[in-house]
Protein backbone atom coordinates (compact mmCIF):
# COMPACT_ATOMS: atom_id res chain seq x y z
CA UNK A 1 0.00 0.00 0.00
CA UNK A 2 1.32 3.42 -0.91
CA UNK A 3 0.97 5.91 1.90
CA UNK A 4 0.32 8.78 -0.53
CA UNK A 5 -2.75 6.91 -1.78
CA UNK A 6 -3.93 6.37 1.79
CA UNK A 7 -3.43 10.07 2.59
CA UNK A 8 -5.46 11.00 -0.48
CA UNK A 9 -8.33 8.76 0.61
CA UNK A 10 -8.08 10.07 4.18
CA UNK A 11 -8.49 13.62 2.86
CA UNK A 12 -11.49 12.52 0.78
CA UNK A 13 -13.05 10.80 3.82
CA UNK A 14 -12.85 14.00 5.89
CA UNK A 15 -13.77 16.40 3.09
CA UNK A 16 -12.69 19.97 3.73
CA UNK A 17 -11.81 19.37 7.37
CA UNK A 18 -8.40 20.55 8.50
CA UNK A 19 -6.13 18.33 10.56
CA UNK A 20 -7.30 20.29 13.62
CA UNK A 21 -10.94 19.58 12.72
CA UNK A 22 -10.17 15.88 12.27
CA UNK A 23 -8.31 15.80 15.59
CA UNK A 24 -11.37 17.24 17.34
CA UNK A 25 -13.71 14.80 15.58
CA UNK A 26 -11.56 11.82 16.59
CA UNK A 27 -10.56 13.18 20.03
CA UNK A 28 -6.89 12.75 19.15
CA UNK A 29 -3.94 15.14 19.49
CA UNK A 30 -3.51 17.48 16.51
CA UNK A 31 0.12 16.37 16.05
CA UNK A 32 -0.97 12.74 15.79
CA UNK A 33 -3.56 13.49 13.11
CA UNK A 34 -1.07 15.72 11.29
CA UNK A 35 1.28 12.72 11.12
CA UNK A 36 -1.47 10.72 9.41
CA UNK A 37 -1.92 13.46 6.81
CA UNK A 38 1.84 13.26 6.18
CA UNK A 39 1.90 9.52 5.57
CA UNK A 40 2.11 7.77 8.93
CA UNK A 41 -0.36 4.90 9.13
CA UNK A 42 -2.84 5.00 12.01
CA UNK A 43 -3.13 2.10 14.42
CA UNK A 44 -5.96 -0.38 13.86
CA UNK A 45 -7.93 1.27 16.68
CA UNK A 46 -7.66 4.68 15.02
CA UNK A 47 -8.59 3.24 11.63
CA UNK A 48 -11.79 1.98 13.23
CA UNK A 49 -12.42 5.44 14.72
CA UNK A 50 -11.97 6.97 11.26
CA UNK A 51 -14.35 4.54 9.59
CA UNK A 52 -16.92 4.98 12.37
CA UNK A 53 -16.71 8.78 12.14
CA UNK A 54 -16.79 9.04 8.34
CA UNK A 55 -18.81 5.93 7.42
CA UNK A 56 -16.19 4.96 4.84
CA UNK A 57 -15.29 1.35 4.24
CA UNK A 58 -12.07 0.20 5.89
CA UNK A 59 -11.21 -1.73 2.72
CA UNK A 60 -11.67 1.41 0.61
CA UNK A 61 -9.69 3.54 3.05
CA UNK A 62 -6.74 1.14 3.07
CA UNK A 63 -6.73 -0.10 -0.53
CA UNK A 64 -9.01 2.10 -2.61
CA UNK A 65 -11.00 -0.96 -3.67
CA UNK A 66 -14.70 -1.51 -3.26
CA UNK A 67 -17.43 0.89 -2.26
CA UNK A 68 -16.29 4.07 -0.55
CA UNK A 69 -19.14 4.18 1.94
CA UNK A 70 -20.69 1.56 4.18
CA UNK A 71 -24.42 1.99 3.70
CA UNK A 72 -25.46 5.60 3.30
CA UNK A 73 -22.80 8.33 3.31
CA UNK A 74 -22.34 10.07 6.63
CA UNK A 75 -24.75 12.98 7.07
CA UNK A 76 -23.31 16.47 6.89
CA UNK A 77 -22.63 18.14 10.22
CA UNK A 78 -24.45 21.47 9.79
CA UNK A 79 -22.22 23.12 12.41
CA UNK A 80 -19.09 22.27 10.42
CA UNK A 81 -20.71 23.40 7.17
CA UNK A 82 -21.65 26.76 8.69
CA UNK A 83 -18.17 27.11 10.19
CA UNK A 84 -16.58 26.64 6.75
CA UNK A 85 -18.92 29.23 5.20
CA UNK A 86 -18.16 31.70 7.97
CA UNK A 87 -14.41 31.12 7.60
CA UNK A 88 -14.68 31.71 3.85
CA UNK A 89 -16.49 35.01 4.46
CA UNK A 90 -13.70 36.16 6.79
CA UNK A 91 -11.10 35.84 4.02
Amino acid sequence: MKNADFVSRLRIAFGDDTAADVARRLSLPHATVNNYFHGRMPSPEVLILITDETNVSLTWLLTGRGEQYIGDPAPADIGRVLHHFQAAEDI
Side-chain angles (χ1 to χ4, degrees), residues 14-46:
F14 282 103
D16 292 330
D17 285 358
T18 65
D21 295 331
V22 173
R24 279 189 289 277
R25 286 178 69 180
L26 299 176
S27 299
L28 294 173
H30 178 267
T32 299
V33 171
N34 202 40
N35 286 337
Y36 303 150
F37 281 106
H38 285 95
R40 179 169 291 166
M41 288 301 297
S43 69
E45 294 83 10
V46 172

Side-chain angles (χ1 to χ4, degrees), residues 7-79:
V7 170
S8 175
R9 288 187 295 275
L10 184 64
R11 290 185 189 284
I12 291 168
F14 282 103
D16 292 330
D17 285 358
T18 65
D21 295 331
V22 173
R24 279 189 289 277
R25 286 178 69 180
L26 299 176
S27 299
L28 294 173
H30 178 267
T32 299
V33 171
N34 202 40
N35 286 337
Y36 303 150
F37 281 106
H38 285 95
R40 179 169 291 166
M41 288 301 297
S43 69
E45 294 83 10
V46 172
L47 288 169
I48 291 168
L49 282 175
I50 292 168
T51 61
D52 286 348
E53 179 65 26
T54 62
N55 208 32
V56 298
S57 157
L58 182 58
T59 300
W60 175 84
L61 183 62
L62 291 174
T63 67
R65 291 186 298 230
E67 295 294 323
Q68 179 176 347
Y69 291 103
I70 300 170
D72 295 327
D77 179 336
I78 191 67

Side-chain angles (χ1 to χ4, degrees), residues 78-90:
I78 191 67
R80 280 200 338 266
V81 171
L82 292 174
H83 171 74
H84 286 291
F85 279 118
Q86 184 177 17
E89 288 177 357
D90 292 342

